[in-house]
Amino acid sequence: MSHARQHRDGHRPVRRFRGRGAGRPPLPRIRALAHRTAGTPVLPLLLVCVITVIDVVGGTSLVWLPMLAAGPALAAATCGWRGVAGVGLLATLLSVVLGVRNGVSGGNLVAVLAVLASVTLASILAGAVRARREQVLAAVRSVAETAQHALLQPPPATVGPFQVAVHYSAAAAEARIGGDLYALIPTPHGVRTIVGDVRGKGLSAVKTAALVLGVFREAAYDEPDLLAVVGRIERSLARNLGDDDFVTAVVAGYPEPGRLELVNCGHAPPLLVRGSDVVAVEPARPAPPLGLSALAGEAPGLQVLPFGDGDQLLLYTDGVTEARDADRAFYPLAEGFARHLYDDPARTVAALHEELLTHVGGRLHDDAALLLLRKPAAARPAASGPETGEGATGEGATGEGGSAAPGSSVRATEAAGPGVSAPAAAPPAGPGGGAGERRRAA
């Protein structure tokens, strides 16, 4: 993996336009048919029947009879030992019938039967060994899935004030676990999340990811300052990682309504949706990845963004943006995100993943994680008197926390601690003219 690379190109604001959602799944009847035929020796039986028909039509029994051994040999690769034995028995009976029918001499027929018996026995042994290995592989996959669920706990559809959707794909499909990491937890200091990417692959990357997530989950509850959370992760990695190991990560927090805090440590910039624009949130002061701060001598900075009703934040790893198609072109995540903006984050993430697989031709060559947060609009109370008229266009018109108007640029401020105040909300645009009112009207 390449982690320290800065993703600064190709993330300009793009306008939203409609696109197709995720591809339709196979029809239930087709899937049921495929499930019923799995493990059935259809192809070996078909091969035996074809050879029999050719022998009957051509009348050259001695030439085609040994070819019947291809039936049980092929069955060993597609079904269990019982299926192999059945195909071998059928091939033996047909060889006897065809040999007698075409007047094959006894010595030649015995030789053909000996070949069929030998191939069938060898195929039964091979089928049994293959079935045993498949059972072992299934057990290993089950352990890997259990470890992944313990390490990367899938968040619920709603966490605090956010709608949440996550999709994770490991490059090692057989292991179903990799070096990308994510976590999203509610804490006494607001909802906090992390998305990161460990240098390297395999068990060492999984070990580092487990270390980062363990420290994050503990520090997120204890530390009121988001920079203090990052500091604890940095100190833990400095004690446990090698000189060449590091982790890129984005840590985000939502301490109060309308205020989003970000700390970017050498990771790809998150994508922020406000109104109809998709904007990359570049760090105001670039910081090195976690584990390298002591070498670089730079500390990460805190960014504060307004985040109100209807806003969305997409966190991801470089396995998404560095995925290439047949022409070696990178996947344009910002444009794809703009094509699949829905009110349901799960639908958006599913459509992005489907488009990503289509872009690369069906299989990813690197771990990839997508985590989407969406702040839905709060339920508006029913009007009960004259006080719900023009006076409602102040704070309530811009939604919770007073997010900026659609199409406005992302404003970020840097601070050294939690005392940074969020940017002021946009002033009211007159009776009924706030940005939140326009979104609700739309």
Side-chain angles (χ1 to χ4, degrees), residues 34 67 73 101 103 112 117 123 200 229 240 258 262 264 276 286 317-318 345 387:
M67 292 296 296
R101 175 181 178 274
V112 171
S123 300
V229 176
N240 294 278
L262 290 176
N264 192 326
S276 58
T317 59
D318 62 2
E387 65 275 5

Side-chain angles (χ1 to χ4, degrees), residues 397-427:
T398 58
E400 184 181 4
S403 64
S408 62
S409 60
V410 180
R411 293 178 298 177
T413 58
E414 180 184 0
V420 180
S421 60

Side-chain angles (χ1 to χ4, degrees), residues 209-273:
L211 173 64
V212 172
L213 291 176
V215 177
F216 169 77
R217 292 186 177 116
E218 190 72 21
Y221 275 90
D222 296 341
E223 302 291 347
D225 184 3
L226 196 64
L227 285 174
V229 176
V230 176
R232 284 182 57 171
I233 300 175
E234 174 66 34
R235 291 190 296 272
S236 179
L237 291 180
R239 291 192 301 267
N240 294 278
L241 292 187
D243 295 335
D244 297 331
D245 296 330
F246 57 86
V247 180
T248 66
V250 172
V251 183
Y254 192 73
E256 59 187 38
R259 177 188 174 98
L260 179 68
E261 298 178 346
L262 290 176
V263 179
N264 192 326
C265 299
H267 199 73
L271 297 179
L272 177 67
V273 173

